C-alpha cells in the first residue's frame, strides 16, 4: 500500500460545536491533552471514523497555521447513508472521535491569480485556500453558489473578509453561477479551483475546455461517470510485497479481491473519491477510473486507486 508518511491516526475530542447555517454544523476537534495537531495544507481532508464502522471524509476548513485544533463543517444529508446524521446527532461537545489523515489530493498550486468556484458545502476546502492566497500576495476572486443565503456556510464571514472579491449566488435570488461570464475567456497566469455538486463541476469542466492544460483543479464529493472499462475480461494482479498473484474478475474490484485473500488494505469511500486506497503501481498499464487524479497524473501510471481502477493490460504488479 502506498502510504503518506504525514498521515496519522488521532483520537481527538469535539472541543467546540456550533450550527453554522441551515443543516450545517461546524466541529472544532482538538487533542485532549492540548497538544498541537499535525501540519496540513489547504485542500486537505481527514477520514472520520463514525458508528458501525462508517468512515467519512471531511475537508479541513480552518486556518492551517492554527495547530490547536482542526475544523470541519458537515452538511446533514437526509437521503445519505447515515454518516452526516451521526455527526449531527452524536458528536456533541466533549465527544471522542478517531481521525486518520490529513490527506491532500486537492493542493493549492502557486499562481499569481486564482478563480475559486464553490457550490454548497464545497466551500469547505476553498476557505483555507483564500487565506493561503492572501498570504502569498496572490490576486483572487470567489464565486459561491447555494440554494439560499440560509444554506451557504461561512457566507457572512466571507463577506466581511473578502469584500468585492466575493460574488455570492443564492439560487433563489439570482439563479446559478454565471460560468460563461467567469470562464468564457481564458485568463493568463490564472488557476481555477472548484468544489461542489457534480452538475456544477461538469459545467466548470466544459467552460474550461479552452483554458491551458493544468489550469483546472477539482474536488468531487461523488464519483464521475468514466464509461466502460478498458478490459471486460479477467486480469491478474501480482502483489510484490506478499508474493501472491490474484485473479480479478469483471464483477469485482482489485480491492475486493485483495480483501477476500485476507491481505490488509486501507479503504474508505470505495468510489474513487477519497484516496485512502492509493497503491503504488510497479508494472503494467492502469485503466484509471477514479475521480481524483488529473489526466496528467493518471498518465504517469505510477499509482492507482484499487477500489475502482482496473488493469488495461493482462497483468499488474502492485506494491502490496
Amino acid at each position: 500500500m502506498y502510504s503518506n508518511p504525514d498521515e496519522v491516526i488521532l483520537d481527538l475530542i469535539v472541543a467546540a460545536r456550533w450550527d453554522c447555517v441551515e443543516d450545517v454544523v461546524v466541529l472544532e476537534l482538538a487533542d485532549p491533552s492540548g497538544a498541537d495537531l499535525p501540519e496540513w495544507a489547504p485542500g486537505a481532508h481527514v477520514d472520520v471514523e463514525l458508528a458501525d464502522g462508517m468512515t467519512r471524509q471531511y475537508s479541513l476548513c480552518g486556518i492551517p497555521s492554527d495547530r490547536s485544533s482542526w475544523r470541519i463543517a458537515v452538511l446533514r444529508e437526509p437521503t445519505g447513508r447515515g454518516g452526516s446524521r451521526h455527526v449531527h446527532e452524536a458528536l456533541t461537545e466533549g465527544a471522542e472521535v478517531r481521525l486518520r489523515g490529513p490527506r491532500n489530493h486537492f493542493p493549492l498550486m502557486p499562481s499569481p491569480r486564482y478563480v475559486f468556484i464553490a457550490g454548497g458545502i464545497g466551500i469547505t476546502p476553498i476557505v483555507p485556500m483564500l487565506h493561503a492566497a492572501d498570504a502569498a500576495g496572490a490576486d483572487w476572486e470567489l464565486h459561491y453558489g447555494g440554494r439560499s443565503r440560509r444554506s451557504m456556510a461561512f457566507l457572512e464571514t466571507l463577506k466581511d473578509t473578502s469584500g468585492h472579491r466575493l460574488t455570492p449566488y443564492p439560487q433563489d435570488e439570482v439563479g446559478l453561477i454565471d460560468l460563461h461570464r467567469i470562464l468564457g475567456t481564458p485568463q493568463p497566469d490564472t488557476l481555477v479551483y472548484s468544489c461542489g455538486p457534480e452538475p456544477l463541476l461538469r459545467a466548470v469542466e466544459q467552460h474550461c475546455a479552452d483554458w491551458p492544460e493544468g489550469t483546472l483543479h477539482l474536488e468531487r464529493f461523488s464519483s464521475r461517470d468514466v464509461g466502460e472499462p478498458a478490459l471486460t475480461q479477467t486480469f491478474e494482479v501480482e502483489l510484490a510485497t506478499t508474493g501472491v498473484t490474484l485473479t480479478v474478475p469483471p464483477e469485482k474490484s482489485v480491492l475486493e479481491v485483495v480483501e477476500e485473500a485476507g491481505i490488509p488494505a486501507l479503504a474508505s469511500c470505495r468510489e474513487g473519491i477519497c484516496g485512502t486506497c492509493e497503491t503504488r503501481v510497479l508494472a503494467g498499464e492502469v485503466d484509471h477510473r477514479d475521480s481524483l487524479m488529473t489526466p496528467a497524473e493518471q498518465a504517469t501510471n505510477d499509482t492507482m486507486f484499487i477500489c475502482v481502477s482496473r488493469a488495461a493490460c493482462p497483468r499488474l504488479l502492485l506494491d502490496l
Side-chain angles (χ1 to χ4, degrees):
M1 176 66 61
Y2 177 76
S3 61
N4 182 344
D6 296 326
E7 286 188 24
V8 295
I9 296 176
L10 294 173
D11 291 314
L12 306 181
I13 61 169
V14 179
R17 165 190 166 121
W18 64 92
D19 293 326
C20 179
V21 290
E22 181 179 85
D23 293 329
V24 176
V25 66
V26 177
L27 304 182
E28 293 279 356
L29 306 169
D31 190 291
S33 70
D36 279 351
L37 299 182
E39 294 181 353
W40 60 280
H45 70 263
V46 291
D47 296 342
V48 181
E49 296 186 9
L50 304 172
D52 300 325
M54 290 188 295
T55 301
R56 298 291 184 268
Q57 292 74 42
Y58 298 110
S59 297
L60 294 174
C61 57
I63 300 174
S65 60
D66 180 4
R67 297 179 58 190
S68 64
S69 65
W70 284 347
R71 177 183 295 179
I72 61 174
V74 180
L75 170 67
R76 186 183 187 108
E77 300 182 79
T79 60
R81 295 174 293 170
S84 65
R85 183 173 64 251
H86 177 83
V87 171
H88 277 249
E89 295 177 0
L91 294 189
T92 55
E93 234 176 89
E96 298 178 353
V97 60
R98 172 164 288 188
L99 279 72
R100 182 171 66 235
R103 185 179 306 113
N104 199 340
H105 292 283
F106 191 45
L108 184 68
M109 308 303 293
S111 178
R113 185 173 184 273
Y114 300 95
V115 174
F116 297 107
I117 301 172
I121 200 64
I123 191 63
T124 51
I126 301 296
V127 169
M129 292 184 178
L130 305 180
H131 292 284
D134 272 338
D139 183 24
W140 57 267
E141 59 188 71
L142 168 62
H143 302 270
Y144 178 20
R147 297 188 313 276
S148 68
R149 293 180 187 272
R150 297 187 306 277
S151 70
M152 297 171 68
F154 308 121
L155 178 59
E156 294 306 312
T157 301
L158 289 169
K159 285 166 59 177
D160 292 338
T161 59
S162 303
H164 69 279
R165 295 176 294 183
L166 165 66
T167 304
Y169 292 82
Q171 189 173 344
D172 61 348
E173 297 177 26
V174 299
L176 299 176
I177 298 174
D178 187 354
L179 295 179
H180 180 72
R181 180 182 66 82
I182 301 163
L183 303 173
T185 303
Q187 301 295 319
D189 300 319
T190 301
L191 295 182
V192 179
Y193 277 77
S194 185
C195 183
E198 186 60 22
L200 170 64
L201 299 188
R202 287 199 303 268
V204 170
E205 284 181 311
Q206 292 167 3
H207 282 84
C208 284
D210 293 331
W211 286 58
E213 184 177 350
T215 292
L216 178 60
H217 300 262
L218 302 176
E219 181 165 68
R220 285 180 154 88
F221 292 145
S222 59
S223 57
R224 60 189 175 92
D225 182 7
V226 293
E228 294 298 316
L231 291 180
T232 57
Q233 62 266 39
T234 61
F235 59 91
E236 291 185 336
V237 289
E238 180 183 349
L239 311 184
T241 302
T242 57
V244 174
T245 298
L246 303 173
T247 299
V248 182
E251 71 276 9
K252 291 185 178 181
S253 68
V254 175
L255 174 62
E256 288 172 323
V257 171
V258 167
E259 290 176 330
E260 288 173 359
I263 298 167
L266 290 176
S268 180
C269 73
R270 299 176 183 265
E271 297 179 30
I273 58 174
C274 78
T276 305
C277 68
E278 185 174 8
T279 302
R280 195 183 305 278
V281 178
L282 304 178
E285 185 180 353
V286 179
D287 175 15
H288 292 286
R289 306 180 63 76
D290 64 272
S291 300
L292 284 162
M293 290 194 286
T294 66
E297 290 169 335
Q298 292 178 345
T300 64
N301 210 54
D302 58 1
T303 189
M304 67 182 290
F305 300 99
I306 60 173
C307 67
V308 291
S309 293
R310 305 182 66 79
C313 62
R315 188 182 183 95
L316 292 174
L317 177 61
L318 303 181
D319 188 16
L320 276 173

